[in-house]
Amino acid sequence: RVHGGPDWIAVEWANMGQSFSYDLQWKEVNSSDWCTASNPVSTNIVKKKNLLPSTSYVFRVRVRNESGGWGPLSDPSQPLSTTAEGALRMDPPRLCGMSHDYLTIEWNAFEGAISYDVEFKAENSSWTSGGENISGTLFKKKHLSPGQAYHFRVRPKTASGLGAWSPSSDAFTTLITAPVFRELFGNELVDFKGNEVDLDEIAGNLIGIYFCARHHASCQLFTPQLIQFYFTLQAAGKDFRVVIVSLDEDEHSFDAHLHSTPFYAVPFNDQAARARLMTACSVDRRILPRLLVFSPTGELLDKSATSAVLSVKTFEKWEQQAHQHTTAS
């Protein structure tokens, strides 16, 4: 990996351990003469100074083992370029989307850029490649940890070589489920396919807790309306997570009901969680269905949403209420 400025390039290679030292060599791309550092290098990260602006260099390295002998030289690196004197540096990337396991960033286009490289790091860790040769100005980094803060930086690739890294972004944090939901649901739900999923999959969204039973006539009427509402919100670019708390008497009915929806559910065999939710939400099993809507942080927004007009406008009202709770806290 590499980053640099008008008169320097910092390079990094695989660390062979504290018992080894390295011989770093470099040359201009069009030169046949390799230069060598005057002394062996003890770390695997070196900032080579006193280089020429707007010039491409290649680097190679070899390792000296514990017995004092030198290993073979590595293949030359790809051409690495210093920036021009007074060259513009890209602004830090901005956050434009998030979930419990991904962050999406964007940045301003750099004049003359053919593509971009992105690096990221968690707090107190080293930079890691996130993506290379990205053609646009949007990047989604997946497989992140819930509730973890990350920094990003980006650099352009132009016809003359690699540009300088942008300054680090602010810390962007992936979402994590509010503690109140873990207290109510436990740590796992099942999805509509019956797969176990971590509770963090519903993090950051408005959440509907839906008490129902497949055999109940009113539920048979309301469930299709709720499904249509869910897909209408999806088409409008809005996320709503519905969690079924089933009052079915047998697992076959539970499975059949869940598989007919796009929703999550409390596992059928987790009777303690279902009883806990019924008590917390003051649900009478004789009066079904019941839909309660909560903010991402656990505030109750609507305790009788089964009576609401299920529309985008209603959902936006809930969003405004959730925002007010967040601002107030």
Side-chain angles (χ1 to χ4, degrees), residues 263-283:
F263 304 147
Y264 298 93
V266 175
F268 181 79
N269 58 9
D270 195 346
Q271 296 182 11
R274 289 192 288 160
R276 188 167 59 244
L277 282 154
M278 287 184 65
T279 300
C281 297
S282 302
V283 171

Side-chain angles (χ1 to χ4, degrees), residues 125-147:
S125 64
S126 301
W127 289 104
T128 301
S129 176
E132 297 182 343
N133 300 316
I134 300 165
S135 58
T137 57
L138 195 72
F139 175 73
K140 182 177 183 179
K141 179 66 186 107
K142 302 178 181 179
H143 308 301
L144 301 176
S145 299

Side-chain angles (χ1 to χ4, degrees), residues 166-201:
S166 72
S168 172
S169 70
D170 294 332
F172 303 143
T173 303
T174 48
L175 300 174
I176 192 167
T177 303
V180 63
F181 292 124
R182 290 205 178 272
E183 294 172 5
L184 290 172
F185 294 121
N187 292 322
E188 290 185 343
L189 300 172
V190 291
D191 64 16
F192 66 94
K193 296 180 180 179
N195 301 316
E196 292 184 354
V197 296
D198 190 276
L199 193 63
D200 281 324
E201 287 214 7

Side-chain angles (χ1 to χ4, degrees), residues 4-319:
D7 62 352
W8 62 273
I9 294 175
V11 293
E12 180 179 358
W13 56 90
N15 189 356
M16 303 299 294
Q18 295 182 349
S19 301
F20 296 88
S21 58
Y22 308 93
D23 173 35
L24 178 66
Q25 300 181 7
W26 66 94
K27 72 180 184 72
E28 293 184 33
V29 167
N30 296 323
S31 173
S32 59
D33 299 325
W34 287 92
C35 302
T36 302
S38 57
N39 295 306
V41 177
S42 59
T43 70
N44 65 314
I45 304 174
V46 172
K47 181 178 181 179
K48 180 65 190 84
K49 302 178 181 179
N50 301 317
L51 301 177
L52 299 174
S54 303
T55 303
S56 296
Y57 294 84
V58 290
F59 292 79
R60 65 185 183 184
V61 67
R62 60 180 176 175
V63 63
R64 184 160 63 185
N65 56 36
E66 295 172 330
S67 62
W70 288 107
L73 286 160
S74 69
D75 292 333
S77 69
Q78 63 175 313
L80 310 173
S81 301
T82 51
T83 59
E85 288 281 10
L88 294 176
R89 193 179 183 192
M90 292 186 65
D91 292 329
R94 306 176 297 276
L95 181 68
C96 64
M98 68 176 76
S99 181
H100 70 289
D101 63 353
Y102 74 79
L103 293 168
T104 303
I105 60 168
E106 63 181 353
W107 55 88
N108 297 330
F110 188 84
E111 185 176 355
I114 299 169
S115 62
Y116 301 89
D117 295 339
V118 171
E119 288 189 337
F120 74 101
K121 68 171 183 174
E123 296 284 2
N124 303 316
S125 64
S126 301
W127 289 104
T128 301
S129 176
E132 297 182 343
N133 300 316
I134 300 165
S135 58
T137 57
L138 195 72
F139 175 73
K140 182 177 183 179
K141 179 66 186 107
K142 302 178 181 179
H143 308 301
L144 301 176
S145 299
Q148 175 71 57
Y150 295 90
H151 296 266
F152 291 83
R153 65 183 184 183
V154 62
R155 68 176 176 188
K157 288 184 178 179
T158 67
S160 59
L162 292 168
W165 287 107
S166 72
S168 172
S169 70
D170 294 332
F172 303 143
T173 303
T174 48
L175 300 174
I176 192 167
T177 303
V180 63
F181 292 124
R182 290 205 178 272
E183 294 172 5
L184 290 172
F185 294 121
N187 292 322
E188 290 185 343
L189 300 172
V190 291
D191 64 16
F192 66 94
K193 296 180 180 179
N195 301 316
E196 292 184 354
V197 296
D198 190 276
L199 193 63
D200 281 324
E201 287 214 7
I202 65 173
N205 299 285
L206 264 63
I207 295 170
I209 302 181
Y210 181 40
F211 295 86
C212 58
R214 183 180 181 229
H215 65 274
H216 199 288
S218 296
C219 296
Q220 292 173 7
L221 292 172
F222 184 75
T223 298
Q225 298 175 39
L226 185 57
I227 293 171
Q228 182 59 51
F229 179 51
Y230 173 85
F231 286 121
T232 298
L233 293 174
Q234 273 202 329
K238 296 184 180 295
D239 290 322
F240 186 41
R241 298 291 184 264
V242 177
V243 181
I244 291 174
V245 182
S246 174
L247 278 70
D248 286 308
E249 298 295 337
D250 62 89
E251 192 165 6
H252 173 75
S253 296
F254 168 84
D255 289 339
H257 191 196
L258 178 60
H259 295 341
S260 70
T261 76
F263 304 147
Y264 298 93
V266 175
F268 181 79
N269 58 9
D270 195 346
Q271 296 182 11
R274 289 192 288 160
R276 188 167 59 244
L277 282 154
M278 287 184 65
T279 300
C281 297
S282 302
V283 171
D284 184 342
R285 64 184 305 120
R286 297 169 300 179
I287 305 174
L288 295 177
R290 282 285 305 279
L291 176 65
L292 295 87
V293 178
F294 292 82
S295 74
T297 51
E299 290 82 15
L300 179 61
L301 305 177
D302 195 330
K303 65 180 180 180
S304 57
T306 41
S307 302
V309 176
L310 297 183
S311 64
V312 173
K313 185 176 181 180
T314 298
F315 188 81
E316 289 175 341
K317 181 188 72 174
W318 293 336
E319 287 182 316

